[in-house]
Amino acid sequence: MTVTELQKLLRPVEEDDRRKLPTVSYSKLDVLKKCVMQYAQKYKLGKYSNQQTLALELGTILHKGLEMKGRMKIDGKKVDYLEITDAVTNGCQEITDKGSEQMIGLERISQKYFEDWFNTKEGETSYTEKTNIYLSKVIYDRMEDEDWKVIAVEKNFEFVYDNRVIIHGFIDRVDQNKDGELRVVDYKSSKKLFRDEDIKTPLQMVTYDIACVFLYGKLPVEHEYDFILLDQKQGPNEGVCSKGYFNRGIKKLNNLLDKMDSVEKMDEYEPSPTPLCYWCAYPDKTHTPNADSKYAGSCPYYSLWKPEKKSFQVNEEFVPGKKVENKTEKPKRTLVF
């Protein structure tokens, strides 16, 4: 597919579209790809988890630090590393369309998740060491490449794709070189690099590419995953977006949209129990501390795998034809006389 052909499939969102078309993001499609049951719990039954985790809150504040540097660079200001370090360490206010909220910093995160923060396995780098790498090296090194200039951070996008869905999201960073070519950068605060098979046709980058065609009228020529707690990157030299990735990615996107249409019409949602169940919001609390306090137990089909106990068993076998029930309990009424 050429850029011109893709542009014909894209258009701005109109008010009528919000009533008629489903809205998706990369993360929503990724959930659908990994587990239809999880997708149903969240997007069909509306069980949105508010559970905070160490990984989520840590990733949020680390992204914020690099966003602050990017905005200073874009505005032509001298980078204030003391301001960035203070915000990341002690927290800061985040202004959004919905108002203002306090983002907690590393000091409070380390206290809030004390056990996980300091419980480091033998051979692993501790969170203290990893965040020191970020504060002492990563924030100084990023966006200093003379060949690439940052032009956008936390770039939001929203458009109609193929008259069938509204796609929306944010790109962590967009760079531009002297020839006007684009590079998209996505920050990752995970513990390890991606596997080779996960980066040849990454749906996330394909989604960002489509957004760049809509926003800038061109496809990026480079894609980079930046692992900001490891000070390592995966880019074209490491196989990110290998030859032919875009056409493969468009096909993958269309297949997922077809699957979404099918899931929306049927009333059966097959689970995909894997070790990832341990980090899901819907298993029982007895299995994982990551289960949501309100929606724990919504899915009984989870894998029994735990970090400390590798298992291939499942809690309950899925029976085709069995409907998903909304097991969320309503608060009992209290009678006052």
Side-chain angles (χ1 to χ4, degrees), residues 196 199-202 234-243:
D196 288 345
I199 59 177
K200 288 183 171 61
T201 313
Q234 286 180 311
N237 292 336
E238 289 72 36
V240 175
C241 296
S242 59
K243 185 177 180 180

Side-chain angles (χ1 to χ4, degrees), residues 178-241:
K178 292 179 292 186
D179 298 323
E181 295 172 322
L182 302 179
R183 172 175 70 182
V184 293
V185 179
D186 188 69
Y187 300 128
K188 297 297 181 187
S189 53
S190 47
K191 295 180 180 179
K192 56 185 179 180
L193 302 178
F194 288 135
R195 303 172 302 172
D196 288 345
E197 56 263 41
D198 296 328
I199 59 177
K200 288 183 171 61
T201 313
L203 184 62
Q204 182 178 26
M205 289 300 187
V206 172
T207 304
Y208 293 166
D209 278 8
I210 299 171
C212 283
V213 170
F214 178 74
L215 294 169
Y216 303 108
K218 60 178 68 178
L219 283 170
V221 298
E222 282 195 20
H223 308 80
E224 181 178 279
Y225 287 113
D226 189 351
F227 293 81
I228 54 181
L229 283 176
L230 306 175
D231 191 25
Q232 295 187 57
K233 301 175 182 179
Q234 286 180 311
N237 292 336
E238 289 72 36
V240 175
C241 296

Side-chain angles (χ1 to χ4, degrees), residues 140-155:
Y140 292 95
D141 288 351
R142 289 343 183 234
M143 292 167 272
E144 299 297 332
D145 188 340
E146 293 182 357
D147 296 329
W148 293 94
K149 178 182 178 182
V150 56
I151 62 170
V153 290
E154 288 297 310
K155 182 65 177 177

